[in-house]
Amino acid sequence: MIDLDGKEKVWWCSENSGADSVKYVERTPGGAWSTPQVVLQANRRVPGMPILDWEGVHTCDPTVIRGSWTVNGQPYGYAMYYTTERPGSDGIDNRIGAAFSTDGIHWSKYGTPVIHDGDPGAYGSGQSVAWSTDAGSGVATVYTYTDATGSPVYYFRQSPDGINFGPRRPLSMAGLTLNGVPGISHAKPAIAFAPSYRDGGFYYYMASVCEAYNDSVYGPAYPEVGTARGLCLYRAEGDDMFNGTWTRVLDSGHTKPVEVEPGFLTNVYGYLDQTDVSLYFACSGAGDPNTWELCWTKGAMPPR
């Protein structure tokens, strides 16, 4: 996000001593990035922290917004939603946790998952992208759910307080393509997502992998690793994101293979409000997760 102090701030999922953790960097416009630091990891990996019986060893897929929340009597200005797995499940039966902060660096976790669609023996719920609905405590999110059939769906939920989320509503997948035919990419198809008031209309923007190689250095059981090669930007107006068709409005250019986890650069409330659209994503030269790094692409926001 571009925060209220003018700094660009990035939270992302990164391997840390054998498990996923959330890392953070910041910079002033045009300046150098700060040294990456771990700001959130599983309690069971931190000596002295109480074990959460619903949280595994991974914390991944962070999405951070600003607003105003009071949790257990404490005021906070940042909320983070993240993915963690059922303990002992080796990365399946995921659920979405919440954490709150006053500075974006030191976080207090909420004591139970805020979204948990059950344990299907598959990926489950995760990869959330959140935005503020009122610049206060209201939050909306879009996230991925994959059940035992292996078919991913994008769901939308809203919360008046950032904790208690209402019923889920599936997003339309009409208009999304993979290698020129209808479909979405990867076994775990993370997306970037953000709303925007633009040209007199209210739009939702989605970025996802739209071109992929058919091979993987890890074999067909890992199609999400080392296969992506292009990102596309899609747009839907208002409720069209539920029952309409997404319009492809922009394609990315890149110098290294795109991997996973795209994310928009937004304002503090999770909205696209800049002339240009910037997208961050993991990338590599070989497909091996140990070679992944953060890359970005930028383009002019298409007119209405």
Side-chain angles (χ1 to χ4, degrees), residues 221-243:
Y222 299 92
E224 75 276 14
V225 178
T227 62
R229 62 181 177 182
L231 289 158
C232 291
L233 181 69
Y234 300 90
R235 178 173 61 200
E237 186 169 8
D239 281 351
D240 283 349
M241 78 164 182
F242 298 113
N243 47 37

Side-chain angles (χ1 to χ4, degrees), residues 126-289:
Q127 300 174 330
S128 59
V129 183
W131 63 96
S132 172
T133 58
D134 58 7
S137 60
V139 174
T141 184
V142 165
Y143 65 97
T144 305
Y145 177 68
T146 304
D147 63 15
T149 69
S151 299
V153 180
Y154 300 127
Y155 282 116
F156 168 90
R157 290 184 190 253
Q158 282 187 280
S159 169
D161 57 11
I163 294 171
N164 298 288
F165 283 83
R168 65 189 190 184
R169 187 177 180 186
L171 269 60
S172 170
M173 293 189 182
L176 305 182
T177 62
L178 178 62
N179 294 338
V181 299
I184 56 177
S185 67
H186 297 337
K188 303 179 182 69
I191 57 173
F193 200 92
S196 178
Y197 292 100
R198 188 169 299 276
D199 301 324
F202 184 74
Y203 296 89
Y204 292 100
Y205 287 85
M206 177 195 302
S208 69
V209 172
C210 56
E211 297 179 63
Y213 298 104
N214 293 320
D215 61 342
S216 167
V217 295
Y218 294 95
Y222 299 92
E224 75 276 14
V225 178
T227 62
R229 62 181 177 182
L231 289 158
C232 291
L233 181 69
Y234 300 90
R235 178 173 61 200
E237 186 169 8
D239 281 351
D240 283 349
M241 78 164 182
F242 298 113
N243 47 37
T245 300
W246 291 91
T247 301
R248 182 167 160 175
V249 294
L250 196 64
D251 295 351
S252 72
H254 55 82
T255 58
K256 294 184 179 181
V258 180
E259 300 296 349
V260 292
E261 316 297 348
F264 288 123
L265 178 64
T266 69
N267 68 13
V268 295
Y269 301 120
Y271 286 70
L272 293 175
D273 63 353
Q274 302 173 64
T275 302
D276 295 325
V277 56
S278 296
L279 188 70
Y280 288 89
F281 52 91
C283 63
S284 77
D288 184 341

Side-chain angles (χ1 to χ4, degrees), residues 29-55:
W33 290 106
S34 62
T35 301
Q37 59 180 307
V38 175
V39 296
L40 193 81
Q41 57 186 319
N43 279 21
R44 63 186 67 241
R45 289 172 50 81
V46 183
M49 289 292 288
I51 300 299
L52 301 176
D53 62 5
W54 54 271
E55 183 186 65

Side-chain angles (χ1 to χ4, degrees), residues 1-12 23-37 39 66 78 103-107 265 280 294:
M1 67 167 67
I2 302 295
D3 208 344
L4 298 176
D5 58 8
K7 292 182 178 179
E8 184 176 352
K9 301 179 178 180
V10 181
W11 296 260
W12 78 99
K23 290 185 179 180
Y24 168 81
V25 293
E26 64 178 41
R27 69 174 178 177
T28 56
W33 290 106
S34 62
T35 301
Q37 59 180 307
V39 296
R66 293 208 67 165
Y78 295 82
D103 60 6
I105 296 174
H106 303 90
W107 295 89
L265 178 64
Y280 288 89
L294 292 181

